[in-house]
Amino acid sequence: MPTNPIITFALVSAALAAIVVVWFLIRRPSLTHATKVWLLLGIGILPLATATTGNVAGYEATKSRRFCGSCHVMTPYSNDSEDPHSTSLAARHSKNEMFGHENCYACHADYGMFGTVTTKLGGLRHVYEYTFHYRNMSLDEAKEKIHIRRPFQNSTCMHCHSTQGPAYLAVKDHKSIVFQVRTGSVSCASEGCHGPAHPFSKPPKPAKPSESDDPASDDPAVLP
Amino acid sequence: MKLPYVRSMTLLVVSGALTLVALGLMAWSMVEPTPLPVMLAMTLGQVVGTTAFALYIFVVLRDIRRDRRARRDSLEDIK
């Protein structure tokens, strides 16, 4: 039995509607005023209640990690988030009680007035890509080929981490590049800062050729 | 173009069957909230459910119109 009251309401409405409709289909009563009122319930009001609450439940379901992880190519990402011993950025966010079970959505959703809409449109693109390109791909192959469509936006991190709190600014590295972080020229999720968020998906880095190389020249934290 | 007359009972049976299909899709999406069921419920389920309700509304409105016409005709006969 689902614990979510919205889902419970939707399923009860669906069950009641189904009972009325099945009764009508089996008995085929004459079309009196009373029969039509019963059908208004079974074909109209109760299914509308199911559809309304079902849409809300469906929308909420699309935000859960279980939903994201249900495509096989996302399984390693989902498993990493659920691993209590993992210290990746994604796994650490999944331990947050407020949004831990929705950590994929919390970090990958767009913000702003139309953020939800653009995120859902992006999700449809994911479905398209999965159906036509990644459905039959092995996990190893997918791990190499799947990549984020555009660089991760710092504004997503700054939705929670404003970069203005004293605890944030007390960290010297934060204070020295706070302008670059706010403008997005340095990514929070880059290696050397807090990333990568999904380290298992990155190829192992080759060893540095020598210590004399300019460290800033290949700093992965600085986006082009 | 005149549409063929379809009996109210036939239309309501179709409407009921479509309602069951729509309810099934919606219930499936809630029991198993993965991409395929959720997308089917939010697209096909909505279309099928709306079609079923539209058929019901059509039958009810057509019956009301027919009753009114019959009543009017009977009143004219009395006059």
Side-chain angles (χ1 to χ4, degrees):
Chain A
M1 190 72 185
T3 52
N4 185 336
I6 293 178
I7 295 179
T8 307
F9 179 81
L11 288 176
V12 169
S13 300
L16 291 175
I19 289 170
V20 173
V21 172
V22 168
W23 164 79
F24 172 75
L25 291 177
I26 292 174
R27 298 288 299 270
R28 305 277 173 97
S30 57
L31 295 179
T32 60
H33 183 72
T35 307
K36 286 176 183 169
V37 170
W38 275 110
L39 285 179
L40 176 63
L41 267 179
I43 296 175
I45 294 171
L46 289 170
L48 274 175
T50 304
T52 310
T53 48
N55 277 346
V56 174
Y59 170 72
E60 288 297 322
T62 61
K63 292 159 73 177
S64 71
R65 185 169 60 243
R66 182 186 167 196
F67 184 86
C68 304
S70 59
C71 292
H72 78 282
V73 291
M74 285 292 121
T75 313
Y77 297 81
S78 172
N79 287 348
D80 176 59
S81 282
E82 285 163 12
D83 181 0
H85 304 297
S86 174
T87 55
S88 68
L89 192 61
R92 277 183 277 153
H93 280 85
S94 77
K95 294 179 180 73
N96 189 308
E97 282 185 13
M98 296 293 288
F99 59 82
H101 63 293
E102 294 175 352
N103 67 322
C104 310
Y105 186 84
C107 293
H108 287 283
D110 298 329
Y111 286 103
M113 184 184 274
F114 300 109
T116 306
V117 177
T118 55
T119 303
K120 292 298 156 203
L121 288 174
L124 285 178
R125 185 192 166 92
H126 284 180
V127 172
Y128 169 82
E129 293 286 350
Y130 180 77
T131 308
F132 293 104
H133 299 125
Y134 298 104
R135 188 177 174 80
N136 298 317
M137 195 175 272
S138 71
L139 272 181
D140 289 334
E141 202 181 349
K143 213 184 278 185
E144 286 178 16
K145 287 200 171 179
I146 285 182
H147 59 276
I148 194 162
R149 192 167 159 237
R150 54 182 180 179
F152 196 84
Q153 303 290 308
N154 285 352
S155 56
T156 313
C157 310
M158 286 163 64
H159 188 73
C160 298
H161 310 281
S162 72
T163 72
Q164 293 176 11
Y168 178 88
L169 293 171
V171 179
K172 283 179 188 170
D173 286 345
H174 285 166
K175 200 172 182 180
S176 62
I177 55 164
V178 69
F179 179 75
Q180 289 92 321
V181 168
R182 286 176 189 163
T183 54
S185 57
V186 172
S187 172
C188 308
S190 59
E191 198 168 347
C193 288
H194 296 283
H198 308 289
F200 58 87
S201 66
K202 306 289 178 227
K205 287 198 75 176
K208 280 189 176 179
S210 71
E211 292 294 318
S212 60
D213 286 353
D214 180 12
S217 63
D218 62 346
D219 185 359
V222 181
L223 295 174
Chain B
M1 192 182 86
K2 195 175 180 183
L3 293 172
Y5 183 84
V6 183
R7 287 177 59 230
S8 295
M9 180 58 89
T10 308
L11 285 175
L12 287 177
V13 167
V14 172
S15 171
L18 290 177
T19 302
L20 287 180
V21 172
L23 288 171
L25 287 173
M26 290 179 212
W28 182 31
S29 78
M30 282 175 273
V31 175
E32 195 186 328
T34 50
L36 181 66
V38 170
M39 284 186 68
L40 278 178
M42 285 184 159
T43 52
L44 191 62
Q46 303 288 320
V47 171
V48 171
T50 306
T51 306
F53 191 43
L55 277 177
Y56 168 82
I57 296 287
F58 171 75
V59 167
V60 170
L61 290 179
R62 189 176 71 173
D63 285 357
I64 290 173
R65 217 176 91 182
R66 198 177 52 195
D67 287 352
R68 278 189 184 164
R69 194 176 295 165
R71 203 175 302 153
R72 196 176 57 211
D73 290 348
S74 65
L75 283 173
E76 281 174 4
D77 288 346
I78 294 169
K79 285 176 189 173

